[in-house]
Amino acid sequence: MAEPQRWTELLADSDDICRRFWSEAVSSGAGWPDQCADQWKTSIDEVTDALAGFAHQTGEEGPPPNEPASSLRVLGRGLAVRFSPLLGLDAFLQHLQLLRTCFLVPVADAGGYPPLVLSFFDLLTRAVVREWRRHESAGLQRRLREANHFILLEKRRYFSIFNQMCEPALILDQRLRIVDANPAFERFAAIRREELLGKSCREVLGEPGKVCTTIERFFAARASFANIETQMVINEEFRDVVLAGSFLGEVAAGQSATLVILQDVSGKKEFERRLLESERKYRSLIENVPNVIWQGDEHGTITYISPNVSNLVGYTGEEVQLAGRLGWLGRIYQEDIDQVINHFARIFTTGHNIDVCYRFQRKDGTWIWLQDRTGIPYHKDGRLLVDGVLSDVTRLKLVEEELEQHHLRLAEIIDRRTEELRTANERLTLEVEERAKTEESLRQLAVQLQASNVELEQFARVASHDLKEPLMLIAAFADRLVRKYAASIDADGQRYLGRITACCDRMQQLIGDLLQLSRISMAPLTVQEIDLGTLVAEVVRDLRDRGSDQAVIRVHTLHNLEGDRTQFWQLFQNLLANALKYRDKTRTPDIVVKSRTLADNLCEISVEDNGIGFDERHLERIFQPFERLHAGEGYEGTGIGLATCRKIVLRHHGEITARSVPGRGSTFIVRLPLRQTGISVCGEEHEKL
C-alpha cells in the first residue's frame, strides 16, 4: 500500500468502521450516547477523509509532522464545537482513542503503515484539545460577561427593591455592623440613615432574648432565618417586632453581608392580647353565670357545654357530651319529649330560634323545670350550628302554679267584689245625684252671697255717705253752742259739748276709713309698671310733711312691680303710718323698708319697726276691720288701716302677714307677684291662665 490511492480504497467503507466503533464502544464500557449517533457518523466520515488526505500529503514512509496541518486544525475545531455541548473532553478523547483503534485494525490487516495512523490521531487529538480548550475558554468568557451583566442587573434590582420595600430592612456585615438601611427603617426607627451606618445592630435592635446573637449564628452558618420575635424601644415606646433575614454572600472583596427585614407586629400583638383577655373574660363569664351555655349541630351532637352544667343537672359536661342527644332526651319527662323533639327539629328546618320549657330528671333523681332557648342557626367550618342557654325555672314554675291558684281564688273574690261594687255603685250614683243637687244649691247660694256682698259694700258706702250729713250738722251746731253760748253753759255742759265734738271727729274718721275700704273693693284696678322705690319715697315725704320728721325711715333698693299705683300708695301709707302710730315713746322710731325676689314670680317687701309690737296670738285679729289691740293704751285709730292693706294685697293676688315680739317691734311682710296675670288693664278681675 505504497500508493496514496490505496488509502482511499482501504478506508472507502466508513460504515464498516462505524459498526466497528460502535462494537468497541459497547464492549469497552465507554458507551455511545444515543444523542451523539448522528454526530459520530458525520465525524467518522470527516476523519476518514482527513486520514486519506493526511496519507496523501505525508506519504507512507514519510516522518510524521510535529504540528497538525491546517486541515487537522479545522477538523479539530469542528469536533470541539460539535461535541463540547454534548460530552466532556475526557469522554470525547476516550471515544477518539476507540476510533483510532478501529482505523488501526483494517490498516494492519491490509499490510499498511500503522505509525501514520497513530501520528494522524495524535495530531488530531492535539488539535481537538487545543480547539476544545479555546472553545471552552470563549464560552467561559461569554458566560463571565453574561454573569457580570446579570450581577449588575441584580444589584440594580436589589437597590430598587431594597429602597422601595414597605418593611424596615438593614444590611449587616460579618461584625453585625449596619452597612445600609432602607427609607422604611428610617421612618420606623425615627433615625436618619447617615446616623445608622457603622453602628452595631445591638445599639439599634437591643439585646433582648439574645436576638443579635441568634442573627450572628445564622450569619456564620450562611443560612436564612425567620420569625425571630423581639421588642424594640422606639421613641420611649416598646414595639413588638418579628425579624427575618437571608445571607447575601460576598458583596465586596472579602466582605459578606446578610439582609435583615423587620415587621412591626405591635398592633397584632396588642390585638392578640386583647383577644386573649376578651376570651378569658368571656370564658369566665360563661363558666360563672348560673345559666348553662351550650352549642350543638344539626345531627344532635353537643359540641360544647359550659362546666356549670353539673350544678344544674348533676352531670358533668363530659358526661353530657358523651351521652349525646339521645342521652339528654332520655332524662326528659315522658309527656314533654314530643314537644322538645318538634321544637328542636324546627330550628334547622325553619332557621328560627326556639324557647321551650320541659321537666328534666337530675342525676340524683329529682325533677326540675328547664327553659331551653336558642339563637338563630349559623354555618361555621362547614357545619350548621346553633347556640343555646339552659336555665333552671323550677321556682318560677312553682310560683306560676301558686299564682294560678291565687288567680282562681282571686276570680271568686272578684266576682263577689263585683257584685258588692255594683250595689255600691248604685248607691254612689244616688249620692252623686244628691251631691249634684247640693252643689247646685251651693252655687246658687254663692251667687246670692256674692250679690249680698256687693249690696253690703254698696250699703256701707251709701250709709257712710248718708251719715256724713247729720254728723256734720251735729258737729256744726255743737261748735255754735261753744262759740255763742259758752258763757251761759256751766262746766258740765262745756265738758259734754267737748265730748260731742270729739265723738263727731272720731265718727268722721271712722266713716272716711270705711268709705276708703269700700272703694278698694269696688274701684276698678289700673295695672301698670310701678317704680316701688319712687312710690315709697313719695309716701315718706308726705308723712314727714304731716309731722313725722323725727322718725328714721330707711328705704333700701326696691323692685319694680305691676299693680294699681293708687292702691299701692294706700298700702304703704297705711303700713308706715301704722309703724309710726304704735311706736315706743321711749325711743325714736326706726323703720326699715326693703324687698327681695322669690321663686314663682314673687317679690317679698318687709316693713320693720322698733315699736311696741304685739302678741302673735292676735295675728289674725289685727287684719280684721275695727279691731284695736291697744285701744285703751292711748293709741288712737279706727282699726281699719291693716284691713285696708289686706284688701289691697288680696286684690293683687298676694298675701300679707306679720312677725312681732311685744316691746321689740314688728315686721309686716307683703308678698306680691312681679307680673299681674289675673287683672285686666281696665281693673276687672278674670280667671288666671
Side-chain angles (χ1 to χ4, degrees):
M1 295 181 66
E3 295 85 359
Q5 58 271 21
R6 293 179 57 203
W7 284 96
T8 302
E9 294 173 1
L10 182 64
L11 302 175
D13 192 1
S14 61
D15 292 337
D16 181 62
I17 295 176
C18 285
R19 286 191 297 272
R20 190 187 305 273
F21 176 67
W22 169 253
S23 176
E24 290 293 335
V26 172
S27 62
S28 66
W32 191 355
D34 294 338
Q35 65 269 27
C36 300
D38 293 337
Q39 287 82 349
W40 276 113
K41 179 67 173 63
T42 302
S43 299
I44 290 174
D45 290 341
E46 292 176 352
V47 170
T48 302
D49 293 340
L51 179 58
F54 180 79
H56 178 71
Q57 292 176 358
T58 305
E60 185 173 319
E61 302 298 335
N66 294 325
E67 292 292 332
S70 60
S71 59
L72 288 181
R73 287 196 296 272
V74 171
L75 177 60
R77 184 181 305 113
L79 293 176
V81 171
R82 184 178 299 153
F83 286 99
S84 60
L86 303 176
L87 299 173
L89 178 60
D90 292 338
F92 177 78
L93 293 178
Q94 183 180 1
H95 285 84
L96 191 60
Q97 293 298 321
L98 290 176
L99 183 60
R100 186 185 65 173
T101 304
C102 293
F103 275 97
L104 283 173
V105 172
V107 170
D109 291 343
Y113 188 55
L116 190 139
V117 174
L118 294 176
S119 175
F120 172 80
F121 275 96
D122 286 342
L123 293 174
L124 179 60
T125 299
R126 194 179 307 167
V128 167
V129 170
R130 182 182 299 169
E131 295 300 329
W132 196 295
R133 296 298 186 191
R134 183 179 300 167
H135 182 72
E136 281 187 347
S137 176
L140 289 175
Q141 291 292 333
R142 185 182 67 257
R143 287 196 294 275
L144 181 59
R145 288 193 300 272
E146 291 174 354
N148 289 333
H149 181 68
F150 176 77
I151 290 172
L152 179 61
L153 292 177
E154 284 297 308
K155 285 184 177 180
R156 291 176 180 173
R157 188 173 65 169
Y158 155 72
F159 281 110
S160 176
I161 294 174
F162 182 72
N163 289 321
Q164 294 179 11
M165 286 174 59
C166 297
E167 293 82 5
L170 296 172
I171 304 295
L172 305 179
D173 62 10
Q174 297 99 318
R175 298 171 62 183
L176 299 190
R177 291 176 304 187
I178 297 175
V179 178
D180 199 0
N182 68 348
F185 190 89
E186 291 184 272
R187 293 190 296 270
F188 171 73
I191 304 175
R192 295 178 58 193
R193 176 177 176 273
E194 290 76 8
E195 299 175 9
L196 290 169
L197 299 182
K199 284 189 176 182
S200 171
C201 71
R202 289 179 173 83
E203 298 181 46
V204 179
L205 303 180
E207 190 65 8
K210 304 299 182 182
V211 172
C212 293
T213 304
T214 305
I215 296 175
E216 192 173 22
R217 187 175 70 253
F218 279 104
F219 195 114
R222 296 174 174 261
S224 299
F225 58 89
N227 299 325
I228 298 178
E229 296 186 5
T230 184
Q231 277 192 333
M232 293 178 60
V233 179
I234 304 296
N235 292 331
E236 300 181 357
E237 178 184 356
F238 281 98
R239 307 290 291 272
D240 293 295
V241 177
V242 174
L243 303 180
S246 177
F247 183 73
L248 298 179
E250 188 172 320
V251 296
Q255 184 75 28
S256 298
T258 189
L259 171 67
V260 178
I261 301 174
L262 293 80
Q263 183 181 7
D264 186 1
V265 294
S266 302
K268 179 181 177 183
K269 287 290 184 180
E270 180 64 22
F271 176 77
E272 290 176 352
R273 283 193 288 268
R274 292 184 180 180
L275 185 62
L276 290 174
E277 179 66 18
S278 175
E279 183 179 353
R280 185 190 63 78
K281 290 180 179 178
Y282 175 72
R283 185 170 296 277
S284 175
L285 177 64
I286 287 180
E287 293 177 355
N288 290 286
V289 294
N291 297 332
V292 174
I293 311 299
W294 61 270
Q295 183 188 72
D297 62 12
E298 57 185 325
H299 304 297
T301 303
I302 300 174
T303 57
Y304 172 79
I305 191 163
S306 55
N308 55 349
V309 68
S310 59
N311 299 327
L312 189 67
V313 299
Y315 296 97
T316 64
E318 291 78 5
E319 291 174 332
V320 172
Q321 287 184 283
L322 287 175
R325 179 169 176 265
L326 294 178
W328 188 267
L329 292 175
R331 308 295 294 183
I332 297 177
Y333 195 69
Q334 189 64 32
E335 296 179 1
D336 300 337
I337 290 180
D338 290 339
Q339 72 154 338
V340 173
I341 292 175
N342 292 334
H343 274 79
F344 276 87
R346 239 182 7 253
I347 297 176
F348 297 102
T349 56
T350 65
H352 296 157
N353 56 341
I354 66 164
D355 189 341
V356 60
C357 288
Y358 53 87
R359 284 160 286 188
F360 188 88
Q361 189 176 28
R362 287 172 46 89
K363 190 173 184 178
D364 58 8
T366 58
W367 289 91
I368 60 173
W369 278 94
L370 293 179
Q371 182 181 28
D372 209 339
R373 292 166 293 175
T374 70
I376 297 175
Y378 58 93
H379 288 275
K380 183 179 180 182
D381 298 331
R383 303 171 67 183
L384 188 58
L385 302 174
V386 68
D387 298 326
V389 180
L390 273 174
S391 307
D392 185 355
V393 293
T394 306
R395 297 181 63 182
L396 180 61
K397 284 292 183 180
L398 294 176
V399 171
E400 288 179 354
E401 293 175 359
E402 292 179 1
L403 284 175
E404 185 65 26
Q405 296 175 1
H406 287 309
H407 287 161
L408 295 175
R409 292 196 297 270
L410 185 60
E412 297 175 358
I413 295 172
I414 289 174
D415 291 339
R416 291 198 301 269
R417 292 288 186 268
T418 302
E419 182 63 23
E420 294 174 359
L421 287 173
R422 187 183 61 78
T423 304
N425 190 42
E426 292 176 355
R427 291 197 302 268
L428 184 59
T429 302
L430 295 175
E431 291 178 2
V432 168
E433 292 175 355
E434 293 177 0
R435 180 172 294 180
K437 294 177 182 179
T438 304
E439 289 179 352
E440 179 62 22
S441 300
L442 290 174
R443 190 184 64 79
Q444 294 177 0
L445 287 174
V447 172
Q448 295 173 5
L449 181 60
Q450 185 177 6
S452 176
N453 288 336
V454 173
E455 291 176 358
L456 286 174
E457 290 179 353
Q458 291 177 348
F459 171 76
R461 195 167 102 187
V462 172
S464 300
H465 185 271
D466 293 343
L467 286 173
K468 276 188 174 183
E469 186 176 353
L471 185 60
M472 289 173 62
L473 291 175
I474 293 172
F477 281 112
D479 183 60
R480 287 183 181 181
L481 286 173
V482 171
R483 285 188 288 106
K484 289 185 177 183
Y485 304 103
S488 304
I489 300 173
D490 59 7
D492 290 337
Q494 293 283 349
R495 188 172 66 254
Y496 295 153
L497 287 174
R499 294 186 66 181
I500 289 172
T501 303
C503 287
C504 287
D505 292 340
R506 186 169 179 277
M507 191 64 179
Q508 284 181 338
Q509 183 181 1
L510 185 61
I511 291 171
D513 291 345
L514 186 60
L515 281 172
Q516 184 183 17
L517 182 62
S518 66
R519 289 194 192 99
I520 291 172
S521 300
M522 298 300 294
L525 295 179
T526 302
V527 178
Q528 59 181 313
E529 181 82 15
I530 299 172
D531 184 349
L532 209 56
T534 302
L535 184 141
V536 173
E538 293 176 0
V539 172
V540 172
R541 282 197 300 271
D542 183 68
L543 290 173
R544 293 192 185 281
D545 292 341
R546 296 184 186 182
S548 301
D549 53 346
Q550 294 182 353
V552 177
I553 302 176
R554 293 175 288 165
V555 181
H556 294 198
T557 301
L558 301 177
H559 294 79
N560 292 353
L561 300 176
E562 284 185 356
D564 187 285
R565 197 176 196 283
T566 301
Q567 292 197 4
F568 274 15
W569 173 284
Q570 294 173 344
L571 171 65
F572 288 101
Q573 197 275 338
N574 285 332
L575 289 175
L576 292 173
N578 186 75
L580 292 170
K581 181 190 300 183
Y582 296 100
R583 65 184 182 179
D584 189 338
K585 295 180 174 56
T586 63
R587 55 179 177 259
T588 302
D590 188 0
I591 304 171
V592 179
V593 183
K594 57 185 177 181
S595 70
R596 62 172 182 164
T597 57
L598 304 176
D600 300 326
N601 190 40
L602 289 178
C603 177
E604 181 182 273
I605 305 116
S606 61
V607 179
E608 182 180 353
D609 62 58
N610 62 343
I612 61 174
F614 63 90
D615 192 337
E616 289 188 0
R617 291 179 299 169
H618 306 299
L619 177 61
E620 192 61 30
R621 286 181 56 196
I622 65 175
F623 294 106
Q624 299 297 325
F626 310 114
E627 287 287 347
R628 299 173 63 203
L629 296 183
H630 306 285
E633 301 177 11
Y635 295 97
E636 298 179 357
T638 60
I640 296 179
L642 291 179
T644 302
C645 292
R646 187 177 198 179
K647 198 76 171 178
I648 293 171
V649 171
L650 290 177
R651 286 204 71 186
H652 286 80
H653 305 125
E655 60 181 17
I656 184 170
T657 186
R659 296 193 302 269
S660 182
V661 177
R664 298 180 61 182
S666 304
T667 301
F668 285 84
I669 302 169
V670 179
R671 296 186 182 93
L672 291 168
L674 291 167
R675 298 289 179 267
Q676 293 292 334
T677 57
I679 304 175
S680 65
V681 294
C682 62
E684 297 179 357
E685 299 183 27
H686 55 79
E687 293 183 358
K688 292 186 178 180
L689 298 176

